[in-house]
Amino acid sequence: MADKKHSHEDCKKNILAVHDAMDVLNGKWTISIIAVLCFHQQRRFSDILADVKGISNRMLSKELKEMEMHKLVKRTVQDTQPITVLYELTEYGRKLQSVINNLSDWGHEHRKKVMGK
Amino acid sequence: MADKKHSHEDCKKNILAVHDAMDVLNGKWTISIIAVLCFHQQRRFSDILADVKGISNRMLSKELKEMEMHKLVKRTVQDTQPITVLYELTEYGRKLQSVINNLSDWGHEHRKKVMGK
DNA sequence: CGGCATCCTTCTGGATACTG
DNA sequence: CAGTATCCAGAAGGATGCCG
C-alpha cells in the first residue's frame, strides 16, 4: 500500500474499488455492525441490537441477513432454551478491521472537535 | 493505534466513535466523493460528477454542501468565463485518507472475489 | 430469544427544466 | 459551468404484533 502509484489509471481503479466496497457496505448500519463485531468477536442478536444505538430489530435482522449473503458475517445457532444466535465476522469481513480502526480514531477526533465547540 | 486496549469501556468507546464517524459519512455517496478528492486533490464539480458513477447533479450538489458544512471539503470559486468551482478536502477531511486506502484495498480484493465466481 | 409479516410514514433520489 | 427548483415514485425504515 505504501508503494501505491498514482497514475491516471490507478486513480480510476482506486475510486472504482472504493465504490465497489461501498456497494457492499452501504447499508445505513452496516459499518456500525461490523464495528461491533470487530470489538466483540462473537455477539448475540439482542446484544448487537443494544450496541448499535438507534437500530430497530427489523433493520438489524435485514442487515445481518444481507451481510451474511455477502459473506461478511457468519451466523451460528445454538439450540439452548430458548434459542441463542451468535454472529461473528468471517475472515473476509475481518479484513475490514483496519478500516474500522481508522474510522474509530477519526471518530474520536471528530467527537472532540464537535463537542469542543 | 497498535497499543489499543480492549477493555469493556474501550469497546463501547470505539463503537461509539465509529458511530459518530458514520453520522458524518452516512450519505450514500459521501465516501465515494471523498475517495475522488483523495486521489485528485482538486476537482471540479462536473469532473466529480463524472467520477462518481451513478450520482446525479442534484445529489452531488446536496452532498457537497453537507460535506462543506461538516468541514470535510472546501469550495473555491474561480471567476473564469464561465464560472469554475473547485472542491478539495480540508486538512480534517484528508485525515480520512487511510480509511480510503484501506477501503480501496479491500474493494480490490472484493472485486476479485465477486468477479472470480 | 430471534426473528418475520404487515402497515404506514418519511425520506431518498431520479428526471426534467430553469437560472446566473 | 455549476448549480437550484419542482415533481413524483419507490425505497427505507419505525411500530406493532405474531410465531417457533
Side-chain angles (χ1 to χ4, degrees), chain B residues 3 11 16 23 34 41 43 49 52 65 67 70 76 93:
Chain B
D3 60 345
C11 281
L16 196 61
D23 262 4
I34 293 175
Q41 287 93 298
R43 202 79 174 144
L49 198 59
V52 181
K65 210 188 283 179
M67 291 165 75
H70 289 310
T76 313

Side-chain angles (χ1 to χ4, degrees), chain A residues 31-67:
Chain A
I31 296 197
S32 292
I33 295 171
I34 293 174
V36 169
L37 295 179
C38 268
F39 294 117
H40 280 106
Q41 288 92 298
Q42 287 205 137
R43 201 78 174 147
R44 306 173 54 167
F45 185 87
S46 47
D47 288 328
I48 303 175
L49 197 59
D51 291 331
V52 181
K53 250 168 291 292
I55 198 172
S56 63
N57 62 345
R58 193 176 84 100
M59 286 315 295
L60 180 56
S61 174
K62 285 178 82 172
E63 294 259 14
L64 283 171
K65 208 189 283 179
E66 206 184 314
M67 292 165 75

